[in-house]
Amino acid sequence: MIQFLDLKEINNQYKDEIESNINEVLNSGWYILGQQVERFEKAFADYCEVKYCMGVGNGLDALSLILKAFDFNVNDEIIVPANTYIASILSISQNNLKPVLVEPDINTYNIDPAKIEEKITSKTKAIMVVHLYGQTADMDAINSIAQKYNLKVIEDAAQAHGAYYKDKRTGSLSDTAAFSFYPGKNLGALGDGGAVVTNNKDLAEKIQTLRNYGSQIKYHCNYKGINSRLDEIQAAVLRIKLKYLDKDNEKRSFIADYYLNNIKNQKIILPCCENKESHVWHLFVVRTKDREDLQAYLKENNIQTMIHYPIAPHKQKAYKEWNDLDLPITEKIHNEILSLPMSPTLSVEDFKKIVDTINRY
């Protein structure tokens, strides 16, 4: 069976260095907000080409802390893609804010800037951009709209570690950005983890405080904060893997190029890549009219696939107030997408077999 993503094989590439760093943590006797976190935060801020990075518990917390730090009013509105992963929307709801869903571009799957302005009201405070599947959104257009209406721009860059928009990396394209280091991400930990990055000193200091119970000095709380801190072991692992992130992304790009150039089946709609630097191929997502049939066929041929994501946010039981919304582009995407195996450790033999099998479908 060709696995969708073999995390053991990915991490085994760097096993010796990872074990060395973990032993360093064990021997230090300091396991929360210590030197490993500080060193990773500095390295990741430099990588994203920003001034500040704050390690937190996970990607959802990163988004939620950003919204909490901006101190918006209850029921203020945050524009968000209608077809994003549910975490983007949950972060808005958690802060007693109102998510306003905007349809994506059917070609890129990212939020369609042409559909944003019609959703802006006097209560709109921010645009949350999601670089879905690893491809950067149209940030020039989005930032222009935000500037026109005096809105904050927040990047959900959980799937786009290292992607470029023109000459700038994700994380540096907005007021602030959230990253996830969930194990399956391009930069994945050995458990949960996340980070907020920004060039805004005041925002950085507030998030740094909010993640630690709202406290800068132990037992002295300036804000009603939460407990969401990247731990020393995850930081130690991430610091090693960050060194190889660009190399791993290049391998993903190589496999994606092979898929794009060699899958020749009229039943399959291939993803759009506007330029090579803008996509780090966290996922390689195709569309087809009969997804279940294609998925079953590939499984019969020992190829594992996944669906990202089978249920649109507005069709979830958790948001039953949205269940009757008419979002045809979003629904089409969620009904047709299928993710093919994509990993920096996928062998040439395996991805050639995947292409050959799809072409016979």
Side-chain angles (χ1 to χ4, degrees):
M1 174 70 74
I2 299 175
Q3 292 187 48
F4 177 76
L5 185 67
D6 188 339
L7 292 177
K8 181 179 179 181
E9 189 174 357
I10 287 172
N11 289 310
N12 274 345
Q13 298 177 103
Y14 317 119
K15 183 178 179 181
D16 290 345
E17 290 180 86
I18 287 172
E19 287 182 344
S20 176
N21 267 19
I22 290 175
N23 285 332
E24 188 177 326
V25 174
L26 291 174
N27 293 328
S28 75
W30 193 287
Y31 308 121
I32 297 288
L33 295 182
Q35 289 187 359
Q36 294 288 347
V37 170
E38 289 179 6
R39 292 161 74 183
F40 173 71
E41 288 175 337
K42 173 65 167 63
F44 195 63
D46 290 345
Y47 180 83
C48 294
E49 301 166 359
V50 296
K51 294 178 181 177
Y52 308 104
C53 171
M54 290 67 63
V56 299
N58 53 70
L60 172 55
D61 282 358
L63 288 169
S64 188
L65 282 164
I66 288 169
L67 293 169
K68 191 176 184 70
F70 279 131
D71 203 23
F72 297 131
N73 295 317
V74 171
N75 289 325
D76 278 345
E77 297 172 355
I78 310 297
I79 285 172
V80 64
N83 64 314
T84 185
Y85 180 57
I86 199 71
S88 311
I89 295 169
L90 288 173
S91 71
I92 300 170
S93 300
Q94 285 181 355
N95 283 278
N96 298 311
L97 303 169
K98 181 181 176 182
V100 176
L101 306 181
V102 174
E103 288 259 72
D105 181 317
I106 189 64
N107 296 309
T108 66
Y109 309 132
N110 281 325
I111 192 169
D112 187 345
K115 293 182 170 67
I116 291 176
E117 279 196 82
E118 64 190 44
K119 299 286 188 175
I120 294 174
T121 72
S122 60
K123 295 182 72 66
T124 307
K125 292 296 185 289
I127 303 170
M128 183 179 288
V129 179
V130 181
H131 304 304
L132 199 63
Y133 305 145
Q135 182 166 216
T136 55
D138 185 353
M139 295 305 297
D140 281 350
I142 292 164
N143 282 324
S144 178
I145 294 167
Q147 187 174 19
K148 179 178 177 181
Y149 292 94
N150 193 30
L151 306 176
K152 300 295 185 184
V153 178
I154 301 162
E155 291 172 77
D156 180 343
Q159 300 184 9
H161 310 76
Y164 277 95
Y165 180 79
K166 298 187 175 177
D167 60 345
K168 297 176 71 176
R169 287 212 198 250
T170 52
S172 67
L173 306 170
S174 60
D175 292 286
T176 181
F179 287 88
S180 167
F181 303 126
Y182 181 76
K185 304 298 185 185
N186 290 35
L187 179 60
L190 300 186
D192 274 321
V196 176
V197 301
T198 185
N199 283 312
N200 184 319
K201 182 180 180 181
D202 292 339
L203 183 66
E205 290 178 350
K206 190 170 184 180
I207 289 173
Q208 191 174 51
T209 305
L210 284 168
R211 72 175 176 180
N212 189 38
Y213 301 104
S215 174
Q216 286 182 320
I217 301 172
K218 196 168 186 177
Y219 305 128
H220 295 259
C221 293
N222 298 331
Y223 307 105
K224 296 174 183 176
I226 64 172
N227 174 18
S228 181
R229 303 170 299 197
L230 183 68
D231 69 66
E232 286 285 279
I233 286 179
Q234 301 307 334
V237 172
L238 290 166
R239 197 162 56 82
I240 294 299
K241 294 182 71 175
L242 180 60
K243 297 189 301 180
Y244 303 103
L245 177 56
D246 286 342
K247 182 191 74 173
D248 283 352
N249 283 345
E250 287 173 8
K251 290 180 182 177
R252 290 175 179 268
S253 181
F254 179 82
I255 295 165
D257 283 346
Y258 188 84
Y259 283 158
L260 291 169
N261 292 325
N262 292 281
I263 293 176
K264 309 288 185 183
N265 187 320
Q266 292 185 349
K267 296 177 182 178
I268 309 297
I269 299 171
L270 296 172
C272 169
C273 179
E274 297 187 334
N275 66 74
K276 191 171 183 178
E277 290 73 25
S278 72
H279 209 317
V280 291
W281 300 104
H282 173 60
L283 298 171
F284 190 95
V285 179
V286 300
R287 291 191 2 250
T288 186
K289 294 292 184 182
D290 194 346
R291 172 177 65 199
E292 285 70 25
D293 186 64
L294 174 60
Q295 187 171 39
Y297 164 78
L298 291 172
K299 184 178 180 180
E300 289 170 4
N301 284 275
N302 295 315
I303 297 170
Q304 185 183 42
T305 59
M306 296 189 70
I307 301 170
H308 297 87
Y309 304 96
I311 304 173
H314 71 284
K315 294 296 184 182
Q316 298 282 357
K317 289 182 180 179
Y319 287 99
K320 58 186 178 181
E321 66 272 23
W322 292 343
N323 286 174
D324 294 330
L325 286 179
D326 182 29
L327 296 167
I329 299 173
T330 294
E331 290 170 26
K332 182 178 181 63
I333 290 169
H334 283 266
N335 289 334
E336 296 181 352
I337 53 175
L338 187 68
S339 299
L340 303 183
M342 172 55 71
S343 164
T345 61
L346 199 64
S347 72
V348 173
E349 180 183 12
D350 283 347
F351 63 71
K352 284 186 174 181
K353 177 184 175 180
I354 292 165
V355 168
D356 292 339
T357 305
I358 289 174
N359 286 341
R360 293 196 305 269
Y361 172 65

